[in-house]
Amino acid sequence: MAAVLNTIAAVPPRVHTGLGEFVLRNPTIVMGAALLAIVGIVAVAAPLLTGDPITIAPSDRLLSPDAQHWFGTDSFGRDVFARTIHGARISLAVGLCVAVLSIIIGLVIGLAAGYYRRVDGIIMRLMDAMMAIPSILLAIALVALTKGGIGIVIIAISLPEIPRVVRLVRSVVLSTRELAFVEAAVASGSRDFKIIRRHILPSAVAPVIVLATFIVAAAILSEAALSFLGIGVPPEIPTWGNMISAHKLYLARAPWTIFFPGASLTVVVLAVNLLGDGLRDRLDPRLARRM
């Protein structure tokens, strides 16, 4: 016994490094969060890093990247670097607003559909009808009926995302409300609002957070697609979709006018997807046990 104790004492204890261990165990979360943090800081500091992104300089048309214009200039002599980082503000704002709006509305509707059986059928048929409407057609209709703008784009992208949230939350509620502690709360006479808030809502937080990250990525791509088609953000506002659309005819002559906004769009969407994948692996205990 003494020999065993001496052997155990000779083994150095495992040191938990905290942040270092978290980085090693969650590389996708760290990589995605780091990329998004860099893009977010640059987007917020855009007015301090560059000049006016809409200033036209006809004498500087289609200049290749150099020390003065890091990303070159476009067909109007505007600095592509300035327009690219200002476009990040629009893309991130649209993605976050769409995610928050669709999550809040979808969470409320999903909780009601899953908990109250008498309205479940009506709500889900409405959600099925909404999922049948393409977001691009909805955006075209909304822009045709209004003056357009960022707010209309956010609404047009958010509406098709709400049924996804509702279906996810409803499935979580249906499985949670059959558990013993929920049935005990119902039998004890607790109010429905208290049961939903204390026992059912916490079960839906983790999957909703993961879904929110993918909604952000989808919203950024949708905004770029709508702007590329000319039915999204007005062309005077610098966005990645507008930049690509306005200079698609200059691809052979000035590829930097399309490459840099396209690369920025790719990096941001990749970062959001990495963060979402990492959160899914981190928050899903069943998947964590299988790995």
Side-chain angles (χ1 to χ4, degrees):
M1 179 63 67
V4 172
L5 293 177
N6 291 333
T7 303
I8 295 175
V11 177
R14 182 181 178 183
V15 179
H16 296 277
T17 59
L19 180 61
E21 184 177 358
F22 179 83
V23 172
L24 293 177
R25 295 174 67 91
N26 305 278
T28 54
I29 294 179
V30 175
M31 187 180 302
L35 288 175
L36 286 178
I38 293 173
V39 175
I41 293 173
V42 172
V44 172
L48 302 177
L49 298 176
T50 64
D52 191 353
I54 62 175
T55 300
I56 297 176
S59 59
D60 296 334
R61 294 179 65 252
L62 300 178
L63 295 179
S64 59
D66 54 22
Q68 182 178 0
H69 304 285
W70 293 357
F71 291 176
T73 60
D74 62 7
S75 59
F76 295 97
R78 298 172 297 191
D79 187 69
V80 176
F81 176 71
R83 294 180 63 79
T84 299
I85 64 175
H86 277 82
R89 309 178 79 180
I90 302 298
S91 296
L92 293 177
V94 170
L96 292 176
C97 290
V98 168
V100 171
L101 183 62
S102 58
I103 289 297
I104 292 176
I105 298 176
L107 187 62
V108 174
I109 299 176
L111 289 172
Y115 190 80
Y116 299 104
R117 298 290 181 87
R118 57 183 178 272
V119 299
D120 183 26
I122 299 175
I123 291 177
M124 295 314 298
R125 298 298 77 76
L126 291 175
M127 294 300 106
D128 292 340
M130 291 180 60
M131 293 182 68
I133 304 176
S135 58
I136 293 181
L137 294 180
L138 180 59
I140 294 174
L142 290 176
V143 171
L145 295 174
T146 62
K147 296 181 180 180
I150 298 178
I152 297 300
V153 172
I154 292 174
I155 295 175
I157 300 176
S158 299
L159 289 178
E161 298 293 341
I162 292 175
R164 296 174 57 189
V165 182
V166 172
R167 293 170 69 91
L168 174 65
V169 175
R170 173 181 175 270
S171 64
V172 174
V173 174
L174 289 178
S175 59
T176 304
R177 72 188 306 272
E178 302 298 332
L179 298 178
F181 65 90
V182 178
E183 294 182 350
V186 174
S188 64
S190 299
R191 295 182 178 181
D192 292 343
F193 178 78
K194 183 178 180 180
I195 295 174
I196 294 174
R197 180 176 59 86
R198 296 188 59 182
H199 302 294
I200 296 180
L201 181 60
S203 301
V205 171
V208 166
I209 291 176
V210 176
L211 180 60
T213 59
F214 295 109
I215 291 177
V216 171
I220 292 175
L221 287 175
S222 298
E223 183 276 323
L226 293 175
S227 298
F228 180 82
L229 295 175
I231 55 176
V233 179
E236 64 270 13
I237 300 177
T239 66
W240 294 333
N242 283 340
M243 295 173 65
I244 296 174
S245 176
H247 294 87
K248 56 181 179 293
L249 299 179
Y250 297 91
L251 178 60
R253 181 181 177 184
W256 57 85
T257 57
I258 292 180
F259 171 77
F260 289 110
S264 301
L265 179 63
T266 302
V267 169
V268 170
V269 174
L270 175 63
V272 176
N273 286 331
L274 286 175
L275 181 61
D277 289 338
L279 289 176
R280 181 190 59 194
D281 299 342
R282 180 76 177 179
L283 298 176
D284 191 345
R286 293 172 299 178
L287 181 60
R289 286 196 297 266
R290 291 197 297 266
M291 295 183 61

